[in-house]
């Protein structure tokens, strides 16, 4: 059973809107959570990490973590066409030290 | 991709031939990883290293071996390539930055096995 689940999309939002990307995970003991952005044909790029319940903001990006619901999300405010990419959720499960488990990604398209 | 290079960037090889992919880092990070990425499967860990000569298997290690003789280099070898190993291979590095172990990825190698 997949340990990290994401809606594959595609998700389309108009320019200037808020894009909401969601991720659920199965290991309740997971401690660290990461969002990566991957443009077509490129490598994943770390954009956010979050470790505590609540919100973490960095520019137009906000990561939200709810460990009780085993849910992590990424909000992108004022979406731009340049945000069009696949967003990967990654989780560091309990007991796995330095390893990450990745979701399959959500493809986001921001329409001009 | 700063500080991480992969070579070759593209390779086409025939079934049954050995292939070695190289990952080189200039960040002096302790941990290095090899992933493969396939449509519908996301990123899957093949092998990882937690120090020179210290390696361990990941989720999809069958058919792959690794070596790390220097901190900066992590080699992935396909002993006898098969068509199912056609994929994009990414190397990643991490270190104990605030104990978060954030991973950073290299540019990738696209491997085609015919």
């Amino acid at each position: 059973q997949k340990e990290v689940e994401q809606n594959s999309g595609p998700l389309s939002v108009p320019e200037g809107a808020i894009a909401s990307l969601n991720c659920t995970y199965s290991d309740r003991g997971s401690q660290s959570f990461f969002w990566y952005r991957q443009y077509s044909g490129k490598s994943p790029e770390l954009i956010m990490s979050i470790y505590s319940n609540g919100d973490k903001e960095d520019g137009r990006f906000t990561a939200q973590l709810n460990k009780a619901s085993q849910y992590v999300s990424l909000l992108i405010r004022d979406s731009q066409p340049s945000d069009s990419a696949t967003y990967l959720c990654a989780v560091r499960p309990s007991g796995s030290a330095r390893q990450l488990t990745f979701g399959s990604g959500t493809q986001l398209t921001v329409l001009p | 991709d700063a500080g991480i290079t992969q070579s070759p960037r593209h390779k086409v090889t025939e079934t049954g031939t050995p292939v070695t992919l190289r990952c080189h880092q200039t960040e002096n990070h302790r941990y290095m990883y090899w992933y493969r990425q396939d449509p519908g499967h996301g990123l899957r860990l093949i092998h990882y290293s937690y120090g020179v000569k210290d390696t361990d298997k990941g989720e999809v290690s069958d058919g792959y071996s690794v070596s790390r003789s220097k901190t900066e280099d992590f080699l992935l070898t396909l002993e006898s390539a098969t068509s199912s190993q056609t994929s994009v291979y990414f190397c990643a590095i991490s270190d104990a930055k605030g104990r978060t172990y954030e991973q950073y990825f290299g540019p990738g190698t696209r491997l085609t096995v015919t």
Side-chain angles (χ1 to χ4, degrees), chain B residues 4-110:
Chain B
I4 312 170
T5 57
Q6 293 184 232
S7 59
R9 295 293 312 280
H10 301 271
K11 185 170 182 66
V12 179
T13 192
E14 294 184 348
T15 298
T17 60
V19 177
T20 296
L21 308 183
R22 180 184 184 232
C23 177
H24 179 78
Q25 61 143 333
T26 58
E27 306 295 327
N28 200 34
H29 280 12
R30 178 179 177 184
Y31 306 101
M32 300 185 74
Y33 310 82
W34 277 108
Y35 291 90
R36 60 179 290 174
Q37 187 174 40
D38 306 288
H41 290 280
L43 282 160
R44 293 182 291 174
L45 182 65
I46 304 171
H47 282 280
Y48 67 100
S49 170
Y50 46 96
V52 173
K53 299 189 187 301
D54 292 323
T55 64
D56 206 347
K57 296 179 179 180
E59 176 187 358
V60 289
S61 60
D62 287 348
Y64 302 94
S65 63
V66 291
S67 65
R68 191 169 178 199
S69 58
K70 299 184 291 185
T71 298
E72 58 266 36
D73 289 327
F74 192 32
L75 304 181
L76 176 70
T77 297
L78 290 66
E79 301 291 347
S80 178
T82 67
S83 58
S84 65
Q85 294 176 313
T86 292
S87 188
V88 179
Y89 291 85
F90 289 104
C91 172
I93 64 173
S94 74
D95 215 335
K97 174 183 176 183
R99 302 187 67 81
T100 63
Y101 301 101
E102 296 173 342
Q103 291 188 17
Y104 299 91
F105 285 81
T109 294
R110 183 172 296 275

Side-chain angles (χ1 to χ4, degrees), chain A residues 34-110:
Chain A
F34 307 88
W35 283 100
Y36 287 81
R37 176 177 62 199
Q38 186 175 24
Y39 293 112
S40 181
K42 301 296 185 181
S43 60
E45 173 193 7
L46 180 66
I47 53 173
M48 290 285 289
S49 56
I50 187 167
Y51 314 101
S52 303
N53 277 330
D55 295 359
K56 179 181 178 182
E57 186 174 318
D58 184 359
R60 295 187 296 112
F61 298 98
T62 299
Q64 299 175 317
L65 175 61
N66 184 325
K67 289 186 178 180
S69 299
Q70 296 175 237
Y71 176 95
V72 58
S73 65
L74 180 69
L75 301 179
I76 306 175
R77 292 184 301 280
D78 188 24
S79 295
Q80 301 297 309
S82 59
D83 294 325
S84 298
T86 296
Y87 289 80
L88 304 173
C89 172
V91 175
R92 183 161 68 87
S94 59
S96 67
R98 277 70 65 183
Q99 297 183 52
L100 297 181
T101 300
F102 285 81
S104 298
T106 298
Q107 184 180 345
L108 172 67
T109 300
V110 180

